[in-house]
Amino acid sequence: MFYNDKVLEHFFDPKNIGEIPDADGVGTIGDPACGDCIKLYIKVEDRRITDIKFKVYGCPAAIGTSSITTEIAMGKTLDEAYQIDDEDVIRALGGLPDQKIHCSVLCPAALRLAILDYVSKLRQQVLEGKQAEN
């Protein structure tokens, strides 16, 4: 199995790796079949992702796809970021070996979970605000 230069670049020098302690949204996903696990953190201002970080346990493809997903998502609106899918990630990396395609869906899924977590927190704040008014 061979990885192209772009995948290796993101494996050896991943972008946006780490945690955001006061993240607005967090998404965690794992694939029990291969053991990969990703935790993704977002900061949001005016419905736009202003910071994004990830932690990953996995193969070079999981690390590379996580790194490139964060680069694609940075600065996008929540709606735009929610639409990022495995084809976007594979295209941005210039391809993946067929047996590693399943890794490409993990980080976009974690991103969607982080966005949903953020939206859920907003809803909760609105509900708590309405309850306080009553």
Side-chain angles (χ1 to χ4, degrees):
M1 172 179 11
F2 293 98
Y3 295 107
N4 67 38
D5 290 341
K6 187 82 168 177
V7 175
L8 292 174
E9 171 192 333
H10 282 273
F11 169 66
F12 287 117
D13 186 20
K15 313 302 185 251
N16 303 307
I17 200 159
E19 296 180 40
I20 301 175
D22 60 341
D24 295 320
V26 179
T28 304
I29 194 163
D31 182 352
C34 65
D36 294 342
C37 185
I38 297 166
K39 188 167 191 175
L40 187 127
Y41 308 81
I42 59 172
K43 288 294 283 183
V44 179
E45 289 180 28
D46 298 323
R47 297 194 48 85
R48 190 169 295 277
I49 295 176
T50 58
D51 196 9
I52 186 168
K53 301 270 189 254
F54 73 96
K55 292 179 83 174
V56 62
Y57 174 82
C59 66
I63 295 167
T65 57
S66 297
S67 176
I68 198 78
T69 299
T70 63
E71 286 197 323
I72 295 168
M74 182 71 79
K76 292 213 181 318
T77 66
L78 294 176
D79 292 335
E80 292 167 337
Y82 197 86
Q83 298 304 316
I84 296 169
D85 64 16
D86 57 329
E87 290 301 320
D88 297 321
V89 172
I90 293 167
R91 191 173 28 259
L93 284 173
L96 282 172
D98 287 342
Q99 62 270 43
K100 291 298 181 176
I101 297 294
H102 68 278
C103 297
S104 68
V105 300
L106 291 176
C107 198
L111 175 58
R112 286 188 290 278
L113 290 172
I115 292 168
L116 291 173
D117 180 51
Y118 168 74
V119 170
S120 174
K121 289 175 183 174
L122 279 182
R123 284 186 184 142
Q124 187 62 37
Q125 289 173 356
V126 168
L127 290 175
E128 289 171 359
K130 286 182 179 181
Q131 289 174 355
E133 291 175 3
N134 294 329

